[in-house]
Amino acid sequence: MPNVGKWGKHKHLIKDEFLLEHLPRTQLFTPDGLWEYAETYKSVMLKPSGGGGGAGIIQVTSKGEDRYLVHAGSSRRVVEGKDNTVQYVKSLFRPKPYLLQPRIPLGRIDGKPFDVRVMVQRANKRSPWIITGWVAKVAGSGYVVTNVARSRGRVLPIRTAVQQSNVPDSIHLLPEVRKISLAAANCLGKAYPTLREIGLDLGIDIHAKPWIIEANFRPSLSLFRQLKDQTFYRRIKAMRGR
């Protein structure tokens, strides 16, 4: 499977009318774009198109009076002036290009943001996609990224996470997560015919709306290995072995 960046995947996903409603507005980084996003959304996520694991993600939040809070990893710094902010942000960049997205107000557990990893697989390019596992990832203290290894966070069964979170209880949430995940897999499977598995990251906002954050084409099984119940882990491994 070729190494496809976030921008390339996004350009395929936005062609699907249903998925479009669950994709954050995304564009390539430019300074003008950053200021337009900051004015519109107040808080902006900057993400490298390549790479994964939460590496290189930066959050910029307007604090008013030409001051901006830049949050990268567990580091926070307030910078004064747009030129200084752009210069500082660029000094944090991983290899280009970078993308701009509004910050999704993710649901939280004990004040920490969480999202969901859904594993979608198929036996071959003619087989239907099926969901073989899902798990919630809770960020570690002081981090905006939910990558468990990077933020020293934790995993929870998805139903447990939703119950413990500030997300409104909804009988429609998990069926919607399932529908979005399969639709995304079908869309990307058509664009990349040799693709057999996707680790889809979905954010759940404070209104119980799912958002597609990222589609990983080389997903690790480590998250599922951490669950007490190993059913998903065994199911995913079995599908990989076909």
Side-chain angles (χ1 to χ4, degrees), residues 107-155:
R108 291 177 177 262
I109 299 172
D110 297 328
K112 303 177 181 71
F114 80 98
D115 65 13
V116 175
R117 165 65 59 86
V118 183
M119 186 68 79
V120 197
Q121 296 175 290
R122 60 181 175 179
N124 57 62
K125 64 182 181 180
R126 290 174 297 277
S127 301
W129 290 96
I130 60 172
I131 292 173
T132 49
W134 52 14
V135 64
K137 302 176 288 167
V138 186
S141 296
Y143 282 80
V144 295
V145 298
T146 55
N147 179 269
V148 170
R150 184 167 300 278
S151 72
R152 296 184 292 280
R154 61 193 174 109
V155 301

